[in-house]
Amino acid sequence: MGTHALDRDLAELAASARAALVREIDASGAWAVDPVWREAFEAVPRHLFVPYYYVGVRGGYERRWGENPDPRARERWVRGAYVDAPLATRLRDGELVSSSSQPSLMAMMLAALRVRDGDRVLEIGAGTGYNAALLAHRLGDDCVTTVDLEPEITEAARRHLAAAGYHPVVVTGDGARGVPQRAPFDRIIATCTLSSVPVGWLAQCRPGARILSPLATGLIALTVRDAGHAEGRFLHTPAYFVPLRGADRHEEGFVEWGGVPRRARENELFRFLLTLTRDTLEPREAYTLWEREGQPRRERYGITVSGEREWAWLDDPEGPYAWPLR
């Protein structure tokens, strides 16, 4: 098969797989609050952002390329690029350092970001560039900045974005420090897990800006009041992302369960509380609280940033249950 025929075949396969993914996300209700994102997912070709990805094979990994001359291998690769699942895209010494997130979760996060036309958005964690492309499709290249610590990741993201026809600003730097030269921002979205909200982000936001970030296996949505104050609650959904690499990364340690029942250890909401209170409560204390308060869901928790202080809380920022994050 000639090169042009191969490209045409690949494009047709991708269009069909992308349409199927959009229907699946639509059915999930992920963008129900902002269905305009449907158009972005219909337009942006995810397979250009994952020219290779890793999938589990008998405990190991294999790469799959779209350039394979075998049409069956190409079809598997393309359909794999459009599954509603996260795809590992970069490993280092067996550790995951970059991935393409689950599309329905990306759609839900983008809808929850509540962007408006003309908003300037900073993305923390460039990944493959796919999320930045979705933002650029909605808002335009000039309104989108994405940053990552790893030069290899930002270089690859630029290539993928250019191949798809998008040219947002891609910065190599510590996402924990933001991108002050591109501020002010109306929205900040992180695609990596934080242990606390970096203070520098607030100073780079306009009053009323919204920050959406994974934290403690959840998603926190903060409204910025000014350069020193922000507050908000967690969304209902669980979220697991690659940790932020840079100044504010927190290393997790061994958990001593201390008599916590197995049913709690395996309960996703309890593990959320345990992660959120990791530096304050012992697991047994967290379990006692969790049971006493009726096994609270994520929406009952929130975070407040006030100057140099930052704390998580249950139900009320000034209530009896509060735990410092830094």
Side-chain angles (χ1 to χ4, degrees), residues 10 41 70 99 101-102 107 109 148 157 199 205 211 236 297 314:
L10 192 63
F41 279 83
D70 181 349
S99 66
S101 302
Q102 182 177 1
M109 290 177 66
D148 203 287
V199 291
C205 285
I211 295 174
H236 72 279
R297 303 187 68 81
L314 176 65

Side-chain angles (χ1 to χ4, degrees), residues 104-252:
S104 59
L105 178 58
M106 296 172 69
M108 188 279 294
M109 290 177 66
L110 289 169
L113 196 59
R114 300 179 186 173
V115 299
R116 303 158 299 187
D117 292 347
D119 277 350
R120 294 174 58 82
V121 178
L122 172 62
E123 179 192 34
I124 310 296
T128 65
Y130 180 52
N131 200 57
L134 294 166
L135 285 162
H137 183 87
R138 170 75 184 270
L139 298 169
D141 289 340
D142 291 342
C143 288
V144 179
T145 303
T146 184
V147 58
D148 203 287
L149 186 65
E150 302 283 348
E152 298 88 351
I153 291 176
T154 52
E155 181 182 348
R158 286 190 192 95
R159 289 198 309 270
H160 301 158
L161 284 158
Y166 299 99
H167 301 276
V169 174
V170 181
V171 176
T172 302
D174 185 353
R177 304 184 189 282
V179 185
Q181 67 270 28
R182 291 282 294 168
F185 299 105
D186 302 286
R187 300 288 186 270
I188 294 180
I189 182 170
T191 57
C192 48
T193 294
L194 306 179
S195 56
S196 63
V197 179
V199 291
W201 290 5
L202 274 61
Q204 294 172 37
C205 285
R206 289 192 175 101
R210 187 169 174 86
I211 295 174
L212 183 68
S213 175
L215 194 151
T217 79
L219 291 169
I220 186 66
L222 299 172
T223 298
V224 177
R225 192 179 83 196
D226 54 40
H229 299 84
E231 190 169 270
R233 289 182 180 269
F234 282 88
L235 305 185
H236 72 279
T237 186
Y240 297 87
F241 285 80
V242 174
L244 174 70
R245 296 180 305 280
D248 283 44
R249 179 169 179 175
H250 179 87
E251 298 294 337
E252 298 295 337

